[in-house]
Amino acid sequence: MDPVSRDLDSETRDSRPQKDSTADLQTQMGDMQITRGGDVLMDDYEVGFGDEKSDVAEITPDTSTDEAQEPLAHDFEGMKARVLPLLPDLETESESIYTWDIDNYRSLTRKERSPKFECGGYPWRILLFPFGNNVDYASLYLEQAHEETDKPPDNWYACVQFTLCMWNKNDPRIYMCHTANHRFTAEESDWGFTRFHELRKMFAQQWDGTGRAMVENEAVCVTCYIRVYKDPTGVLWHNFINYNSKKETGMVGLRNQGATCYLNSLLQSLYFTNAFRKAIYQIPTENDTERKNSAWALQRLFYQLQTSEEAVSTQELTASFGWETRHIFEQQDVQELSRILMERMEAKMKGTEAENALAKMLVGKMKTYISCINVDYESSRIEDFWDIQLNVSGNKSLDDSFKDYIQVETMDGENKYFAEGHGLQDARKGVIFESFPQVLHLQLKRFEYDINRDAMMKVNDRYEFPEVFDATPYLSEGADKSEPYLYQLHGVLVHSGDLTAGHYYAFLKPTVDGHFYRFDDDKVTRATLKEALEENFGGDYANMVNGAGVRNPYTRTLSTKRSMSAYMLVYIRKSREKDILLDVAEEETPAHLAKQLNEEKAALEKKRKDREEQHLYLPISVVTEDAFRAHQGFDLTNWESDPNAPSTPQTYRVLRASTVGDFSKTVADSLRLPAEQVRLWVMVNRQNKTTRPDQPLSDLDMAISQAYSTHSTRDKPFRLWVETATNFADGKVSWPNASPAPGVSPLVLIFLKYFNAEDQTLQGVGHIYMKRSSKVAEVIPAIQQLMGWSPSKVSSMSSTSSTSSSNLPPIPSPPTSTHSISSIQLFEEIKQSMIEPMKPKVTLQQAEIQDGDIICFQRTLSEKESSAIASTGGYTDTREFYDYMLNRIVIRFYPKIANEQEESTFNLALSRKMSYDQYSAKVGEHLKVDPTHLRFSTVLSSIGKAKHPVRRSQGLTLAQTLMPALGTYANSNQRHDALFYEVLEMSISELETKRNIRVHWLPEGVVKEEPVDVLAPKNGIVEDLISPLQRKLSLSDEAAGKLRFYESNGYKFTKYLKTNSILVSISDYSTVFAELVPEEEDRADDNSWPIDAFHFDKEISKPHGVPFKFIVKPGELFKDTKERLSNRTGIKGKQFEKLKFAVVQRSPYSRPRYINDDGDLSTLATAGDDQLGLDHVNRTRPFAGKGDSIFIR
């Protein structure tokens, strides 16, 4: 008997050459290998059960069975019954048996095919690689035998279960069989076994001890047992490659963003509750189309599910919830999310035609009551419910859970009910339903707290629910039952996996008389009723082989229980089904949704087309005179500024084949000028990292592509400056430098900027042309003319001086209208960090002024004017202002103490060179507070919380504060554009003499602690903490007199802090606690003594909580000691009952000695280093994978 094969290479394969792929395994139920003697061998891959997979199973026949009873290979019916068992829940369409006799085996070619045979109306044949398909095994396959002239119809497929048996025609006891299931298509036309059997064994004479070979006398037989099944869902054994949900089902799925499958299943359930969808569409959102509007986002999502051809994204919806990336990757509670979503939608519906639509559909009423047995008295209240949570644990069915829900509790004995006017009475307490909603949401409690494991666990017990549910038995006697409370199952939301790893999907029935469909994220498939109901009951797998268990696909562990089970059920009242599942036509959707989405679709299509045609076009950025005048900064413009800013260059998409003249006309049209009045200049990147006009494009017939390759650098943007004509001769445009006369000094193009010290602005004025031989001082009359400060009478200046068009914003003028040459200062803007004053007596050529250079001018200020500007923090010199712009940074300031007022968060433009006092003054000016009382903290970039307070130091600049030394940890986790601020009660100078000490106040034993920050003198004593603590906690003088402080380290008591102890002695790594001296200690006699007490979780190496001192009384039974411990700690009731107590030595290797109720703490804790340990669960420890509570903004 051969052992079970553990070689993965025996997997079922198609006939194509081997490759590292397992796609062929995903569509089969198992590859069964059968040899003589009745051994059934399963190949070593996992056998699929729905969404689960199991380990390999070995089936061994009863050893008492006579070998003669085993079927022989030529007993075809007997072999078929053995090797091709019927698959449950599938209907056979056709089956057939075909045997291929093979002779001259060693003379066969590399690939051989059998004659055709038919099954299910389709032609088939066996494909054999006698010497292996690139392996040392015989390879055997079944293939569909449609020929090129007889191609199968479009979308043809056949679901086939087949077995291939190779056997010795002279001794049918010798055989080898493999079984597989496959969905044959035109693309996957063959399927079988690449490693059917090892070649060397096939010709060996000792086949299973028979003394004969499989291939004997060069002959062997191959029999194919084939069965074609009907496909109940259209996706039986589908590999889902190129699967189109819309085409196959008419519906689309939702894309998973990371871990949002739970959200997807809920949204699909709500979407196919058509009345809910219609109510959502009725919310008016046409005037509130913001991303944070969850109603608008849900409308868009539903509309896309209704009209889209492919899976829809939920990113817009989760963004409207205010979720960040971390929320996307956290599994959340579906019930909580559903309730919050309903609340938000209800709020959006108020005051609209959809008001109360959800409540009418989803809200029922239940009555909570206490009814006296012996007197006529009942106390009750009726409440609304949106869903019902039902216990799964301990119940076998939905009816059992409802009976458990309305179970009546009898209140008698010590638990009697006090009825007003009747005193203590025996009573019945319970819940009964007054009405059920049209759509009933049932939340099944599949996750429960396991007290033994101290963890949440999934309940995988079998739990049945019906297709039709009668809710009548659970209504009160007085409920209106005129309309039957029969409910039809509409949806089953399923969780597969366990608490830490799993997946959510849904089975939904979109129409009254239709089928169930499985909605699994972006994939929608038809499902059977059994898949929707029975396979989600949970419980044990049926017909398990040897009890080996099935492997959970998410946890990779084996289990005999199904891990996929229903956690939410949706029932619709049968009498209201047509009202709830009514058709929602596209005409009933909000018109603005279609318009918006069509516009977005058109924009995306345009972007796609632009990308495809990108090689035909060239983007060109054009700087106009208007943009230069609106620009306040370096160079002629900011190439990366806001696209809507007036100083931003305009970008054109130009055909490469068009000419410079064509593009000039396009630019002229945008400026509303004739084409001949526009001239384009090429802008080049200089070595000093500036971009300036260099030369005009005079050849209007040159192609744009040629101009780009000639005048621009490869892979750099093509940038142009547009010059508009201002000089005309005989009605025609006269361009400066177009045709300079011989011997005449050529002209140079100069751009002018004006620094207005009064307004603290720097902006472009225009451009002028000057002779290169002109003196620098001769630029000033041109400036005066442009600014309108005085008439120009400079003969050396060319008549080609130019200003911008008349529609430009006016340049602000200083108070006086006339300025002499000496009252104007000139600077050359060479580059951002180099602004040089110009010498008025040198020529422009000597000053190395060339086309495109920038000269900045300012008015000379008087001492009085300079002082006034400097006193407000302004700059009086052009170079200083340029330096400010170079180091300018916009900082976002957040209040350290949360404040709902929007103005509490603001932006300020500051210089990186500012000191603490300088930027503090700016912030103080904005907040209208004393800047000496402002303290700042840096911001953690990862979580947006405050990091370290900024140290006030004259030598520390804003840049050094925001960007510490590169490469340090502080720099890597800190925002460079934000600070927290707080307004202190004292000045920073005074604060620097103080030390902040965090005191943990214990108002109720040790169960509650309130951290309080106390400022005390650095050289102070513990007594200095009492007054500020009293003030912050509003303690009376008497209580303040009983305050005492103690220090702990590592959750264990360290020492009491005496009032005269210096604060410097308190370690930064210690925790300081403050409490009122317990009355028990005041009353303690001399025979009692204190013992250190601490909390731990099972192991003393895992301490937690607040340590404390406890009084030990000699001769006291521990059950009485426990009462005092409860009073001392503040832990009461069931929580206290869970505590275990032990005597623990201080040594880290000691073992706890647990104390019984009849023990005596005074006799057990005798050593000086003994401590009292309280063993209980650390409720404050973080749970891996558990995120914050779900929320919707």
Side-chain angles (χ1 to χ4, degrees):
M1 186 184 303
D2 288 344
V4 176
S5 170
R6 294 291 180 182
D7 184 358
L8 282 174
D9 288 334
S10 64
E11 296 168 351
T12 306
R13 300 284 184 187
D14 61 13
S15 64
R16 289 164 289 191
Q18 277 191 294
K19 55 187 180 294
D20 293 330
S21 172
T22 58
D24 50 356
L25 301 181
Q26 297 172 357
T27 60
Q28 60 188 19
M29 295 289 288
D31 171 18
M32 188 180 294
Q33 190 183 100
I34 303 178
T35 62
R36 186 189 70 82
D39 300 329
V40 181
L41 307 181
M42 304 292 287
D43 281 339
D44 188 20
Y45 58 80
E46 296 161 339
V47 182
F49 291 85
D51 276 10
E52 308 272 336
K53 293 185 177 181
S54 72
D55 266 1
V56 177
E58 178 180 350
I59 307 173
T60 305
D62 191 338
T63 55
S64 65
T65 303
D66 190 344
E67 189 173 309
Q69 295 178 354
E70 297 296 327
L72 301 179
H74 57 28
D75 178 6
F76 299 125
E77 289 300 325
M79 286 293 291
K80 184 183 77 170
R82 178 163 183 78
V83 302
L84 202 69
L86 285 167
L87 298 178
D89 304 317
L90 293 178
E91 183 181 351
T92 300
E93 182 177 326
S94 178
E95 57 184 30
S96 181
I97 302 173
Y98 172 76
T99 299
W100 178 22
D101 290 328
I102 302 173
D103 297 315
N104 301 317
Y105 192 95
R106 293 182 187 275
S107 302
L108 296 176
T109 61
R110 179 180 178 274
K111 183 191 297 185
E112 295 285 346
R113 287 183 169 88
S114 75
K116 294 181 182 180
F117 59 95
E118 186 177 301
C119 183
Y122 312 125
W124 305 92
R125 62 190 169 202
I126 301 169
L127 173 61
L128 171 66
F129 290 78
F131 307 107
N133 185 6
N134 298 323
V135 291
D136 294 331
Y137 288 71
S139 302
L140 205 56
Y141 307 90
L142 174 67
E143 71 172 357
Q144 56 95 353
H146 288 98
E147 302 292 349
E148 286 293 326
T149 57
D150 183 27
K151 290 185 177 180
D154 292 341
N155 302 320
W156 173 86
Y157 69 90
C159 298
V160 177
Q161 177 193 22
F162 66 95
T163 297
L164 294 175
C165 282
M166 181 180 287
W167 52 283
N168 185 318
K169 64 168 57 179
N170 299 315
D171 187 349
R173 296 177 304 160
I174 301 173
Y175 59 82
M176 170 67 72
C177 298
H178 287 278
T179 298
N181 311 317
H182 184 61
R183 184 186 186 92
F184 285 85
T185 64
E187 292 77 23
E188 290 191 346
S189 59
D190 54 67
W191 200 256
F193 315 96
T194 300
R195 300 187 178 223
F196 186 86
H197 199 66
E198 198 171 357
L199 288 172
R200 64 182 180 85
K201 291 185 179 181
M202 288 174 56
F203 295 94
Q205 295 299 317
Q206 294 298 324
W207 178 274
D208 203 17
T210 61
R212 309 183 72 163
M214 170 71 78
V215 180
E216 192 173 53
N217 299 325
E218 299 295 309
V220 73
C221 291
V222 178
T223 298
C224 177
Y225 301 89
I226 181 171
R227 181 179 292 123
V228 179
Y229 285 104
K230 292 181 179 179
D231 185 356
T233 61
V235 292
L236 179 63
W237 303 329
H238 205 302
N239 61 12
F240 293 104
I241 297 174
N242 299 322
Y243 179 78
N244 188 320
S245 295
K246 185 75 170 185
K247 180 180 178 182
E248 300 296 335
T249 66
M251 295 167 283
V252 297
L254 294 167
R255 289 198 287 273
N256 194 328
Q257 295 186 54
T260 56
C261 50
Y262 71 97
L263 173 66
N264 292 350
S265 61
L266 175 64
L267 291 174
Q268 290 282 21
S269 170
L270 296 175
Y271 171 78
F272 284 107
T273 307
N274 296 358
F276 179 89
R277 189 197 328 168
K278 190 171 183 178
I280 295 299
Y281 283 153
Q282 291 174 340
I283 301 175
T285 59
E286 57 271 18
N287 298 322
D288 190 12
T289 57
E290 295 183 3
R291 284 179 60 87
K292 64 182 181 180
N293 182 355
S294 52
W296 174 72
L298 188 59
Q299 284 182 345
R300 283 170 61 92
L301 180 73
F302 281 178
Y303 182 81
Q304 290 177 85
L305 282 173
Q306 190 168 336
T307 60
S308 177
E309 295 296 320
E310 56 187 24
V312 179
S313 171
T314 58
Q315 286 185 340
E316 279 187 353
L317 184 65
T318 54
S320 74
F321 292 169
W323 292 2
E324 301 173 358
T325 303
R326 63 188 179 90
H327 298 114
I328 300 302
F329 288 92
E330 291 174 355
Q331 294 280 8
Q332 300 290 354
D333 181 64
V334 175
Q335 182 189 18
E336 185 181 2
L337 174 63
S338 176
R339 287 182 177 178
I340 296 174
L341 183 60
M342 295 303 171
E343 288 174 5
R344 293 294 182 274
M345 295 304 106
E346 276 276 282
K348 294 287 185 181
M349 290 177 179
K350 284 185 178 178
T352 72
E353 60 177 312
E355 186 170 3
N356 295 325
L358 298 187
K360 292 176 183 177
M361 187 191 322
L362 297 165
V363 172
K365 294 185 181 296
M366 67 169 68
K367 181 173 77 171
T368 303
Y369 66 89
I370 300 177
S371 177
C372 292
I373 297 174
N374 300 318
V375 297
D376 185 16
Y377 182 87
E378 181 179 284
S379 172
S380 64
R381 69 175 183 275
I382 295 178
E383 299 174 310
D384 291 343
F385 67 87
W386 289 80
D387 53 34
I388 304 172
Q389 287 194 68
L390 298 173
N391 289 323
V392 172
S393 183
N395 297 307
K396 294 182 178 180
S397 67
L398 189 63
D399 280 303
D400 287 348
S401 290
F402 267 96
K403 291 173 184 176
D404 175 60
Y405 198 92
I406 64 170
Q407 184 176 359
V408 177
E409 175 190 351
T410 301
M411 304 175 69
D412 55 11
E414 295 182 357
N415 194 32
K416 286 186 177 183
Y417 173 66
F418 182 82
E420 188 175 349
H422 301 280
L424 293 174
Q425 295 287 330
D426 293 341
R428 295 185 181 93
K429 177 182 178 182
V431 173
I432 194 69
F433 293 97
E434 294 294 325
S435 68
F436 289 102
Q438 300 175 38
V439 180
L440 181 60
H441 283 181
L442 303 177
Q443 305 284 347
L444 307 183
K445 295 168 70 174
R446 282 285 180 183
F447 298 96
E448 287 190 350
Y449 177 74
D450 188 325
I451 192 170
N452 295 320
R453 291 185 175 92
D454 186 32
M456 293 293 290
M457 301 295 292
K458 185 178 180 183
V459 179
N460 285 318
D461 298 345
R462 182 175 177 84
Y463 182 88
E464 298 181 6
F465 47 90
E467 185 180 5
V468 177
F469 169 62
D470 185 2
T472 308
Y474 314 111
L475 289 166
S476 67
E477 293 180 1
D480 181 6
K481 302 175 185 176
S482 58
E483 186 179 337
Y485 278 94
L486 286 177
Y487 283 83
Q488 178 71 41
L489 184 65
H490 171 68
V492 181
L493 278 63
V494 181
H495 177 267
S496 178
D498 64 12
L499 181 71
T500 57
H503 180 58
Y504 292 84
Y505 50 92
F507 290 93
L508 300 170
K509 186 180 176 185
T511 58
V512 175
D513 301 318
H515 302 282
F516 273 96
Y517 290 85
R518 172 171 166 154
F519 294 82
D520 190 347
D521 286 339
D522 57 355
K523 187 167 59 186
V524 183
T525 57
R526 185 178 158 186
T528 64
L529 186 61
K530 180 181 179 182
E531 288 174 329
L533 271 75
E534 185 177 337
E535 292 188 2
N536 298 307
F537 287 165
D540 294 330
Y541 284 103
N543 305 320
M544 287 299 301
V545 179
N546 292 340
V550 175
R551 189 177 299 281
N552 187 310
Y554 306 103
T555 63
R556 311 304 300 163
T557 57
L558 291 173
S559 175
T560 58
K561 284 186 178 291
R562 294 178 182 271
S563 71
M564 61 279 212
S565 51
Y567 72 93
M568 178 176 169
L569 303 175
V570 181
Y571 282 93
I572 297 178
R573 197 170 181 180
K574 287 181 71 69
S575 57
R576 305 293 179 92
E577 267 191 299
K578 292 184 179 179
D579 296 331
I580 299 300
L581 300 180
L582 76 172
D583 290 334
V584 182
E586 189 170 348
E587 295 76 27
E588 298 180 76
T589 61
H592 66 278
L593 291 181
K595 181 181 178 183
Q596 290 169 354
L597 289 167
N598 288 335
E599 289 173 353
E600 292 170 9
K601 187 176 180 181
L604 289 173
E605 180 62 23
K606 183 178 183 301
K607 285 184 178 180
R608 183 195 62 79
K609 187 177 179 182
D610 289 348
R611 283 196 301 269
E612 291 178 352
E613 298 177 350
Q614 189 172 359
H615 64 287
L616 301 175
Y617 290 85
L618 180 69
I620 301 179
S621 297
V622 175
V623 181
T624 64
E625 195 75 24
D626 288 6
F628 174 57
R629 289 196 62 179
H631 176 57
Q632 298 196 44
F634 301 103
D635 234 336
L636 268 65
T637 188
N638 183 357
W639 301 101
E640 299 178 356
S641 60
D642 181 1
N644 298 319
S647 61
T648 303
Q650 188 171 354
T651 301
Y652 295 84
R653 190 165 175 262
V654 185
L655 274 170
R656 291 174 178 267
S658 62
T659 65
V660 171
D662 295 335
F663 182 54
S664 295
K665 186 177 185 309
T666 300
V667 174
D669 290 343
S670 67
L671 296 176
R672 299 180 181 178
L673 293 172
E676 59 271 13
Q677 293 185 22
V678 167
R679 182 165 69 161
L680 301 177
W681 285 66
V682 176
M683 300 186 74
V684 298
N685 297 323
R686 296 182 177 179
Q687 290 184 350
N688 61 9
K689 297 183 179 181
T690 60
T691 305
R692 305 287 175 82
D694 183 63
Q695 58 179 303
L697 290 172
S698 55
D699 186 356
L700 300 181
D701 296 325
M702 180 187 292
I704 288 292
S705 58
Q706 184 181 351
Y708 174 62
S709 60
T710 303
H711 299 290
S712 186
T713 306
R714 184 179 176 84
D715 298 330
K716 296 292 184 182
F718 196 23
R719 294 167 174 172
L720 302 176
W721 171 66
V722 57
E723 179 184 14
T724 55
T726 57
N727 294 327
F728 301 88
D730 300 327
K732 295 182 179 180
V733 173
S734 174
W735 295 109
N737 268 352
S739 54
V744 177
S745 176
L747 301 177
V748 61
L749 170 67
I750 300 174
F751 289 88
L752 298 175
K753 288 183 180 180
Y754 171 47
F755 169 52
N756 189 328
E758 288 85 351
D759 295 338
Q760 295 291 290
T761 58
L762 175 72
Q763 64 183 118
V765 173
H767 68 278
I768 59 174
Y769 284 90
M770 297 289 295
K771 293 179 180 179
R772 293 184 185 274
S773 59
S774 300
K775 298 287 180 66
V776 169
E778 295 177 25
V779 174
I780 294 178
I783 292 172
Q784 293 172 324
Q785 181 182 4
L786 286 176
M787 300 298 292
W789 288 346
S790 66
S792 175
K793 298 180 180 179
V794 183
S795 60
S796 63
M797 179 177 171
S798 168
S799 61
T800 58
S801 63
S802 172
T803 62
S804 56
S805 55
S806 59
N807 61 340
L808 297 177
I811 301 294
S813 299
T816 55
S817 61
T818 301
H819 301 281
S820 64
I821 290 178
S822 61
S823 67
I824 296 177
Q825 301 175 27
L826 301 179
F827 302 85
E828 182 186 358
E829 181 186 319
I830 302 172
K831 60 180 181 179
Q832 291 186 358
S833 58
M834 188 179 293
I835 313 298
E836 299 290 343
M838 301 188 71
K839 298 177 180 179
K841 296 184 179 181
V842 302
T843 64
L844 295 175
Q845 187 168 357
Q846 290 171 333
E848 300 182 353
I849 297 298
Q850 59 183 359
D851 283 333
D853 281 355
I854 298 174
I855 294 178
C856 180
F857 62 92
Q858 77 165 100
R859 186 174 64 88
T860 303
L861 301 173
S862 65
E863 290 186 9
K864 183 178 180 181
E865 289 173 325
S866 296
S867 299
I869 294 171
S871 64
T872 60
Y875 301 93
T876 59
D877 184 82
T878 297
R879 288 164 293 186
E880 291 177 354
F881 191 77
Y882 267 100
D883 183 71
Y884 159 71
M885 289 197 304
L886 180 63
N887 292 283
R888 181 170 54 187
I889 181 174
V890 177
I891 304 297
R892 184 75 168 168
F893 287 93
Y894 300 93
K896 193 171 183 180
I897 300 174
N899 191 330
E900 294 183 358
Q901 297 180 0
E902 292 185 6
E903 59 269 19
S904 62
T905 299
F906 55 92
N907 293 339
L908 280 183
L910 305 171
S911 172
R912 291 182 177 88
K913 292 185 175 182
M914 281 183 170
S915 66
Y916 187 103
D917 290 343
Q918 288 175 323
Y919 64 78
S920 180
K922 289 287 186 182
V923 176
E925 181 182 352
H926 178 87
L927 294 173
K928 297 180 174 57
V929 299
D930 187 345
T932 62
H933 284 58
L934 284 171
R935 182 168 67 171
F936 304 94
S937 300
T938 52
V939 182
L940 282 167
S941 58
S942 55
I943 58 175
K945 302 291 186 182
K947 195 178 179 184
H948 301 298
V950 177
R951 183 168 50 86
R952 179 174 175 267
S953 172
Q954 292 299 327
L956 189 67
T957 64
L958 179 60
Q960 292 169 332
T961 299
L962 295 171
M963 292 171 282
L966 294 176
T968 64
Y969 175 77
N971 180 66
S972 62
N973 193 28
Q974 180 174 306
R975 280 186 63 175
H976 300 160
D977 61 349
L979 287 171
F980 280 103
Y981 71 89
E982 54 184 323
V983 182
L984 304 175
E985 297 177 356
M986 62 186 73
S987 68
I988 293 294
S989 301
E990 185 181 355
L991 180 66
E992 288 174 349
T993 66
K994 305 282 186 180
R995 178 187 177 185
N996 182 69
I997 296 180
R998 175 159 289 187
V999 177
H1000 294 258
W1001 164 240
L1002 304 175
E1004 302 171 9
V1006 298
V1007 294
K1008 183 180 179 182
E1009 56 178 306
E1010 301 174 7
V1012 181
D1013 288 327
V1014 178
L1015 285 174
K1018 287 184 177 179
N1019 298 322
I1021 57 177
V1022 172
E1023 188 176 12
D1024 295 330
L1025 301 176
I1026 296 176
S1027 178
L1029 194 63
Q1030 179 185 5
R1031 186 171 63 253
K1032 289 195 174 188
L1033 298 176
S1034 301
L1035 298 177
S1036 65
D1037 292 339
E1038 181 183 358
K1042 294 183 179 181
L1043 271 176
R1044 74 175 176 189
F1045 301 84
Y1046 65 92
E1047 189 177 356
S1048 80
N1049 198 305
Y1051 301 103
K1052 293 187 179 181
F1053 186 92
T1054 304
K1055 63 180 178 180
Y1056 282 120
L1057 296 172
K1058 296 180 180 179
T1059 54
N1060 60 354
S1061 299
I1062 58 173
L1063 296 177
V1064 178
S1065 65
I1066 300 176
S1067 170
D1068 291 335
Y1069 302 100
S1070 296
T1071 305
V1072 176
F1073 292 99
E1075 65 175 355
L1076 300 179
V1077 178
E1079 293 182 6
E1080 181 184 55
E1081 292 190 26
D1082 283 340
R1083 299 195 304 266
D1085 55 33
D1086 295 338
N1087 295 324
S1088 305
W1089 69 90
I1091 187 174
D1092 293 352
F1094 74 101
H1095 309 261
F1096 67 96
D1097 189 349
K1098 297 178 183 177
E1099 302 174 17
I1100 62 170
S1101 60
K1102 296 179 181 178
H1104 63 89
V1106 180
F1108 59 98
K1109 286 278 191 179
F1110 180 68
I1111 296 297
V1112 180
K1113 292 185 177 181
E1116 182 182 54
L1117 290 178
F1118 197 70
K1119 65 178 182 179
D1120 298 325
T1121 306
K1122 284 166 64 175
E1123 291 184 16
R1124 292 195 298 111
L1125 273 168
S1126 177
N1127 294 328
R1128 176 70 176 90
T1129 60
I1131 306 174
K1132 306 289 185 182
K1134 292 184 178 179
Q1135 188 178 356
F1136 186 81
E1137 292 174 4
K1138 295 178 182 179
L1139 269 62
K1140 293 188 290 185
F1141 302 89
V1143 174
V1144 183
Q1145 290 186 330
R1146 286 191 179 272
S1147 170
Y1149 306 105
S1150 64
R1151 297 171 64 89
R1153 291 173 289 152
Y1154 288 94
I1155 311 172
N1156 298 323
D1157 282 355
D1158 56 355
D1160 183 350
L1161 180 60
S1162 64
T1163 61
L1164 295 173
T1166 55
D1169 61 349
D1170 280 343
Q1171 298 172 291
L1172 176 62
L1174 284 67
D1175 182 0
H1176 59 102
V1177 175
N1178 180 8
R1179 299 291 181 189
T1180 61
R1181 69 175 185 266
F1183 289 91
K1186 178 62 179 173
D1188 297 335
S1189 296
I1190 195 73
F1191 68 93
I1192 297 177
R1193 176 172 52 195

